[in-house]
């Protein structure tokens, strides 16, 4: 990223942060090489990264333009999706059955929400900011609440996108399965919101990068782009994020909540791989496939940047360190590195499986350090049971 510190070092800290944010946004948009991808992501980028539409305190209206695909013959046209539908019916659960009577103290050092080493307090101290034991626990509590807030916002996006996909998908067995995913996502919104509201009593606004992705996929009229954006990108990365937090937290209610959500998410990503594998490799022109390949790469970068947690920075450190300093703290922190590792180890194999990791795009993934995840298992080879067993 372009280093703005030499240009802004004599400005007030708040202005330095604002300029850094604008430069970061412009860098993301200017890095998009395909004009069609820029056309798809650009308006969402302006609304999210520059205008901060998700942070204006009012509901956001996103124009949804897609064709609802009806088939009056009701064919059984996708055996793999039909099997997912059967499994989804058996896998339904009630959020009220979670142990909500569990007492949660976000500052209890004996039952930490996330481990103390999750954040690099050493890097913070090197910037001249000393945090005592209580302040460290409060900052860790803020980071966990921030992550869960982004999970909640992402699940609201997934709820609406799943409804759109159910209308637009070309496979009838996919429509039946999609109906179960709408139910799943509604349940996820319910339990994450309940946990944040009644246990952590804290909610952060939506991260700008996440807003851009949701805005882009909700307003794109192509059914396969909705699938790619939600089922592969957002759901795939969410599965990795949920898995990391499930492994690291010691809080029993949160652990049980995440376990149930992970079982649903494993089906959701499998659905995306199943729907797009044949479509991308056999039914698109090479130009269309390349556009989707470029789009997926740009969204991967947005998702990587999403976890810079600038909302926590603004609450805790704005005026005490630069935005760039905070970004370095986050990128060097062990917990955030674990998050990125698990998230992209879930995402990259799925992109490979659906035909969006050709030799043409691989150097760009290599350049940003993501090709190391190429050889992992795709979602159609991973069951929820295996995912959970690997986390113990």
């Amino acid at each position: 990223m372009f280093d703005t510190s030499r240009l802004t070092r004599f400005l007030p800290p708040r202005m330095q942060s604002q300029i850094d944010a604008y430069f970061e946004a412009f860098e993301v948009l200017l890095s998009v090489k395909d004009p069609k991808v820029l056309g798809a992501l650009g308006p969402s980028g302006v609304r999210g990264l520059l205008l901060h539409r998700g942070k204006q305190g009012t509901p956001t209206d996103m124009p949804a333009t897609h064709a609802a695909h009806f088939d009056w013959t009701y064919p059984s046209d996708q055996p793999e999706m039909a099997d997912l539908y059967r499994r989804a019916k058996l896998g339904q659960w009630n959020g009220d059955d979670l142990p909500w009577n569990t007492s949660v103290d976000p500052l209890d050092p004996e039952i930490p929400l996330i481990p103390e080493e999750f954040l690099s307090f050493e890097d913070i101290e090197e910037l001249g900011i000393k945090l005592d034991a209580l302040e460290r626990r409060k900052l860790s509590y803020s980071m966990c609440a921030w992550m869960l807030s982004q999970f909640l916002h992402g699940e609201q996006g997934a709820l609406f996108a799943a409804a759109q996909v159910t209308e637009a998908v070309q496979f009838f067995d996919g429509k039946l399965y999609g109906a179960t995913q709408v139910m799943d996502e509604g349940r996820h919104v319910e339990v994450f919101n309940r946990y944040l509201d009644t246990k952590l009593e804290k909610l952060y606004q939506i991260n700008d990068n996440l807003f851009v992705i949701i805005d882009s996929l909700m307003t794109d009229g192509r059914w396969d782009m909705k699938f790619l954006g939600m089922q592969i990108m957002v759901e795939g990365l969410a599965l990795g994020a949920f898995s990391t937090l499930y492994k690291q937290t010691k809080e029993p209610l949160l652990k049980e909540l995440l376990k149930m959500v992970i079982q649903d998410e494993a089906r959701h990503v499998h659905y995306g791989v199943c729907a797009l594998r044949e479509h991308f490799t056999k039914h698109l022109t090479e130009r269309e496939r390349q556009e989707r390949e470029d789009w997926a790469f740009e969204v991967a970068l947005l998702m990587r940047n999403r976890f810079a947690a600038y909302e926590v920075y603004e609450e805790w450190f704005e005026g005490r360190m630069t935005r760039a300093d905070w970004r370095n703290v986050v990128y060097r922190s062990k917990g955030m590195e674990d998050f990125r590792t698990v998230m992209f180890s879930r995402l990259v194999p799925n992109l490979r499986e659906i035909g969006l990791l050709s030799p043409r795009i691989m150097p760009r993934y290599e350049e940003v350090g993501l090709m190391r995840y190429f050889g992992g298992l795709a979602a159609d080879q991973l069951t929820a049971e295996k995912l959970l067993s690997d986390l113990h």
Side-chain angles (χ1 to χ4, degrees), residues 64-314:
T65 55
H66 63 275
H69 181 85
F70 283 80
D71 191 330
W72 308 110
T73 64
Y74 306 95
S76 179
D77 51 5
Q78 265 283 352
E80 192 173 353
M81 289 185 185
D83 181 61
L84 277 173
Y85 177 51
R86 287 189 290 270
R87 285 164 47 192
K89 288 188 290 183
L90 294 172
Q92 295 299 306
W93 50 279
N94 187 345
D96 289 337
D97 293 337
L98 291 171
W100 291 107
N101 60 348
T102 303
S103 177
V104 178
D105 179 357
L107 302 181
D108 186 349
E110 301 300 318
I111 311 175
L113 292 168
I114 54 177
E116 181 174 328
E117 63 271 17
F118 188 92
L119 273 176
S120 178
F121 291 109
E122 294 78 11
D123 285 330
I124 293 175
E125 289 192 352
E126 286 181 6
L127 296 168
I129 299 173
K130 306 293 185 182
L131 301 177
D132 61 27
L134 179 58
E135 288 173 322
R136 288 185 175 203
R137 291 199 296 274
K138 287 182 176 179
L139 179 54
S140 294
Y141 157 45
S142 294
M143 281 298 299
C144 186
W146 178 85
M147 287 186 288
L148 290 172
S149 296
Q150 303 317 312
F151 294 168
L152 171 60
H153 300 316
E155 293 297 333
Q156 182 180 183
L159 170 63
F160 298 160
Q164 287 190 0
V165 162
T166 301
E167 292 179 335
V169 68
Q170 309 292 294
F171 313 107
F172 201 81
D173 283 326
K175 293 183 181 295
L176 297 180
Y177 173 77
T180 70
Q181 184 171 336
V182 175
M183 180 63 194
D184 290 347
E185 306 297 4
R187 184 169 57 242
H188 298 173
V189 170
E190 170 202 346
V191 297
F192 280 122
N193 183 54
R194 185 171 176 179
Y195 189 85
L196 284 160
D197 183 46
T198 66
K199 301 301 181 181
L200 299 192
E201 299 180 348
K202 193 165 191 173
L203 176 67
Y204 284 90
Q205 292 178 307
I206 186 171
N207 177 268
D208 292 331
N209 290 320
L210 179 57
F211 179 92
V212 171
I213 294 166
I214 292 175
D215 185 278
S216 176
L217 69 92
M218 290 297 294
T219 56
D220 198 306
R222 297 165 291 183
W223 74 268
D224 65 312
M225 291 296 288
K226 294 183 185 296
F227 249 96
L228 176 60
M230 184 51 65
Q231 303 298 130
I232 301 297
M233 307 301 295
V234 175
E235 296 279 25
L237 287 164
L239 181 57
F242 298 158
S243 299
T244 306
L245 190 53
Y246 171 81
K247 183 176 182 178
Q248 295 191 356
T249 188
K250 301 298 182 186
E251 201 288 285
L253 171 58
L254 179 57
K255 202 171 190 73
E256 183 64 19
L257 184 159
L258 290 166
K259 183 181 95 170
M260 301 307 294
V261 171
I262 286 169
Q263 294 179 60
D264 294 342
E265 297 291 352
R267 292 193 305 270
H268 300 173
V269 185
H270 185 171
Y271 177 41
V273 170
C274 176
L276 296 178
R277 185 172 45 211
E278 180 178 349
H279 181 69
F280 282 176
T281 57
K282 296 182 179 178
H283 299 298
L284 293 181
T285 67
E286 181 59 15
R287 182 68 189 88
E288 290 171 328
R289 192 200 61 76
Q290 287 184 9
E291 180 192 347
R292 286 147 178 81
E293 190 171 62
D294 290 336
W295 189 92
F297 175 76
E298 302 301 341
V299 170
L301 293 186
L302 283 171
M303 296 298 284
R304 184 185 64 174
N305 294 340
R306 165 187 167 186
F307 278 87
Y310 291 126
E311 291 76 15
V312 175
Y313 161 76
E314 291 164 2

Side-chain angles (χ1 to χ4, degrees), residues 309-321:
Y310 291 126
E311 291 76 15
V312 175
Y313 161 76
E314 291 164 2
E315 177 187 23
W316 275 79
F317 298 116
E318 191 165 36
R320 302 172 71 189
M321 70 169 76

Side-chain angles (χ1 to χ4, degrees), residues 9-20:
R9 63 183 182 274
F10 299 116
L11 297 175
R14 187 174 294 275
M15 190 174 294
Q16 288 184 35
S17 296
Q18 189 61 65
I19 291 174
D20 182 87

